[in-house]
Amino acid sequence: MHQDRPSAPNKFSIWLPLLFAIVLVTGMLLGMRMQSNMPKLVVEQEAPGPEGIGQGKVEEILRYVEAKYVDAVDKEALTQEVIDDLLSRLDPHSNYISAEELQAVNEQLKGNFDGIGVEFMVLDDTIVVVTPLAGGPSETAGILSGDRIVQIADSTIAGVGMDSDDIIKMLRGEKGTDVQIGILRGKETKLRQFTVTRDEIPMNSVDVAYMLDANTGYIKVNRFSATTYEEFMKALEELVENQGMEDLVLDLRHNPGGYLQQATNMLSQLFKEKDKLLVYTEGDAVSRSEYTSTGRNFFDVEDIVVLIDEGSASASEIVAGAIQDHDRGVIIGRRSFGKGLVQEQYKLRDGAALRLTVARYYTPSGRSIQKPYDDPEAYEHEMYDRYETGEMEAAQNILIQDSTEYYTDNGRIVYGGGGIMPDVFVPIDTLSLDEDYLTLRQYVPQYVFRYLGEEADPAALTEQGLDRFVTSFSIDDALLQGLITYAEEHGDPLTADALSEPVKRATKHMLKARIAKQLFEDEGYYKVWNMEDAMVKEALKAIARSTSLTASQQ
């Protein structure tokens, strides 16, 4: 593993990594059991770690190796190997996060970051401002949509092939610090200089909340961050108090989870009864903790539909599992990911962190929905196997990992051991896997931006309002051909004649949704996209059936 290692390693060097792993595991387990005042479950803040981790025999051995070993060694690299080997022997979700990675990881959960508040895209090797966030530092400084960023601080970034991650690192920084941005606007050739003072930028976990029809609201939650419950309640208030919402479609598709308390707080608002069990957690070193409803509801919600898919994990599955077990609503979609493990995060002395699985969570009926992970390779390929076995296309192909029968409040049989099984199955749209569609789809955002900047009249389209845009604006063949030409210019030759009619229809729909997003932000995108979304259509049918059944019983 190291270039200076002899070709015939001695016995000590062969067993050294395993020795480190054994010692470190033993120290961690003893430390966790000895720390009697350690909190039982903390997921909204970093948990204090047991004393002794990273100390004792492991550090002592490393010091001897570094000082006395026959060859030069990289202590940091050797330590990293030990950590990686150790954690690989646990579960797939216990992991080490370096100090460099920790900030980005925490930003996803905290719900904010420090930056200049601008959404951008790389268009033909040029960084173009899609939109400055309302009220953010960039808008305050005077930066506009369509501006081209060619300089950050003293570095020229236009035409040098920088990727988005590198650009983000240059734009972000500590709140209150200044960054100089060089802008080209329109056809101008003279560089405009802007001094932008970085500030706290919110990362919304609720993408959109709007009415699907006169009675049914739709809320899309993309993750469970520290601000999710607050965002969700604001969305409920707007829909119930101002728009007359009675029923709710909660979209948790591709939601990877996050903070447990945020999920249970949200759930508590969807149950009218007090002390209703929502989820419980338990582990060998962590006693059982139960999360129950408060009975304090601020808004009345009648029928509920939760949308899930193979990307819905962890906290998303907690929400879906509680709704299903208590027969509070209908779960529609495909089998969820199957992550039923709870992690605590421990800060390490060098600024890195250990995210360690400490418990499993169980739905109210007692289900653990964690899929098996005893075979790491099988776990890694499990999602691909769903496609191979046909599970994504037909409910009868769903593999039930645990045949133990659990029961909902109304006596329905449900299963655990591999995700939440939907009450109503909706197959994946196989068109989304079509090669021609995937090729065109990747160019849609850039092409739409160019189309609105060079060919369309965005002001006129926006002035008519979103509802009129949704009903009256259509994508003609000329616009589709423009996208095809754009793809060809970028190395992907296609012809309209070679495209199937379903691909043409789907691509036109994607074009309209992206134009709506550019003009009316996320609400525009979802209002257009959901008109053809199979799960949303099925949700409205389920609510209609429930309403009809209620009416017939009166």
Side-chain angles (χ1 to χ4, degrees), residues 431 434 436-437 440 499-508:
L431 190 62
D434 183 275
D436 289 340
Y437 177 68
L440 285 174
L499 300 178
S500 67
E501 287 303 315
V503 167
K504 289 180 182 178
R505 287 195 302 270
T507 305
K508 286 182 176 181

Side-chain angles (χ1 to χ4, degrees), residues 57-129:
K57 290 183 180 180
V58 174
E59 287 290 335
E60 188 176 7
I61 291 172
L62 282 173
R63 284 197 299 270
Y64 274 116
V65 170
E66 189 176 33
K68 301 293 186 180
Y69 189 55
V70 63
D71 294 319
V73 295
D74 184 336
K75 179 182 176 182
E76 187 173 336
L78 194 60
T79 302
Q80 186 62 54
E81 284 184 35
V82 173
I83 293 171
D84 291 343
D85 183 69
L86 162 65
L87 295 179
S88 71
R89 298 169 186 269
L90 302 180
D91 66 274
H93 302 289
S94 291
N95 65 306
Y96 168 82
I97 307 169
S98 70
E100 293 76 18
E101 299 169 323
L102 186 58
Q103 181 179 353
V105 170
N106 285 341
E107 282 172 357
Q108 295 293 321
L109 290 176
K110 288 180 180 176
N112 57 67
F113 63 91
D114 292 343
I116 70 167
V118 65
E119 181 182 339
F120 69 88
M121 70 167 59
V122 180
L123 183 61
D124 300 334
D125 208 20
T126 301
I127 293 83
V128 180
V129 175

Side-chain angles (χ1 to χ4, degrees), residues 6 9 50 77 119 150 153-154 174 181 192 255 287 291-292 324 336 364 368 399 423 431 441 491 498 517 547 549 552:
E119 181 182 339
V150 299
D154 57 356
E174 188 177 349
I181 307 291
R192 292 173 178 251
N255 182 322
S287 60
Y291 296 79
T292 59
Q324 188 176 58
S336 62
S368 168
L399 175 63
D423 302 314
L431 190 62
R441 180 173 179 162
K517 177 179 174 62
T547 303
L549 179 62
S552 67

Side-chain angles (χ1 to χ4, degrees), residues 162-180:
M162 292 185 69
D163 61 30
S164 297
D165 289 341
D166 291 333
I167 297 166
I168 290 172
K169 288 177 183 177
M170 296 179 73
L171 293 176
R172 291 187 181 181
E174 188 177 349
K175 177 181 178 180
T177 58
D178 292 338
V179 59
Q180 197 74 14

Side-chain angles (χ1 to χ4, degrees), residues 123-124 435-448 450-451 455 478-496 499 503 507 511:
L123 183 61
D124 300 334
E435 187 174 342
D436 289 340
Y437 177 68
L438 290 174
T439 298
L440 285 174
R441 180 173 179 162
Q442 66 179 312
Y443 295 111
V444 168
Q446 297 94 327
Y447 174 69
V448 164
R450 191 172 81 169
Y451 164 74
E455 301 176 38
L479 196 56
L480 176 62
Q481 182 57 53
L483 174 64
I484 294 171
T485 302
Y486 185 84
E488 185 176 10
E489 291 170 355
H490 289 77
D492 281 305
L494 290 169
T495 63
L499 300 178
V503 167
T507 305
L511 278 167

Side-chain angles (χ1 to χ4, degrees), residues 62-273:
L62 282 173
R63 284 197 299 270
Y64 274 116
V65 170
E66 189 176 33
K68 301 293 186 180
Y69 189 55
V70 63
D71 294 319
V73 295
D74 184 336
K75 179 182 176 182
E76 187 173 336
L78 194 60
T79 302
Q80 186 62 54
E81 284 184 35
V82 173
I83 293 171
D84 291 343
D85 183 69
L86 162 65
L87 295 179
S88 71
R89 298 169 186 269
L90 302 180
D91 66 274
H93 302 289
S94 291
N95 65 306
Y96 168 82
I97 307 169
S98 70
E100 293 76 18
E101 299 169 323
L102 186 58
Q103 181 179 353
V105 170
N106 285 341
E107 282 172 357
Q108 295 293 321
L109 290 176
K110 288 180 180 176
N112 57 67
F113 63 91
D114 292 343
I116 70 167
V118 65
E119 181 182 339
F120 69 88
M121 70 167 59
V122 180
L123 183 61
D124 300 334
D125 208 20
T126 301
I127 293 83
V128 180
V129 175
V130 174
T131 182
L133 301 184
S138 291
E139 184 187 58
T140 301
I143 293 175
L144 305 176
S145 296
D147 284 351
R148 289 164 287 158
I149 302 176
V150 299
Q151 191 179 72
I152 301 176
D154 57 356
S155 300
T156 299
I157 61 171
V160 297
M162 292 185 69
D163 61 30
S164 297
D165 289 341
D166 291 333
I167 297 166
I168 290 172
K169 288 177 183 177
M170 296 179 73
L171 293 176
R172 291 187 181 181
E174 188 177 349
K175 177 181 178 180
T177 58
D178 292 338
V179 59
Q180 197 74 14
I181 307 291
I183 294 287
L184 284 178
R185 180 168 293 167
K187 297 181 180 179
E188 296 175 355
T189 56
K190 184 179 179 181
L191 204 64
R192 292 173 178 251
Q193 293 291 342
F194 294 86
T195 300
V196 183
T197 303
R198 298 182 178 99
D199 201 351
E200 186 174 273
I201 309 300
M203 296 176 64
N204 293 330
S205 57
V206 172
D207 283 336
V208 69
Y210 74 96
M211 297 296 290
L212 289 170
D213 59 29
N215 300 314
T216 309
Y218 170 89
I219 299 179
K220 168 68 174 174
V221 181
N222 62 55
R223 66 186 178 281
F224 288 89
S225 73
T227 61
T228 299
Y229 172 68
E230 180 184 353
E231 293 178 52
F232 179 72
M233 293 303 290
K234 286 181 179 178
L236 272 187
E237 180 179 20
E238 169 61 26
L239 295 180
V240 174
E241 298 293 328
N242 298 332
Q243 301 189 46
M245 187 191 86
E246 297 176 1
D247 308 315
L248 173 65
V249 176
L250 179 60
D251 193 343
L252 300 181
R253 288 176 290 181
H254 286 88
N255 182 322
Y259 286 136
L260 175 66
Q261 284 96 333
Q262 295 291 315
T264 54
N265 288 345
M266 177 191 292
L267 272 170
S268 189
Q269 288 301 309
L270 301 177
F271 287 91
K272 296 179 174 127
E273 307 91 335

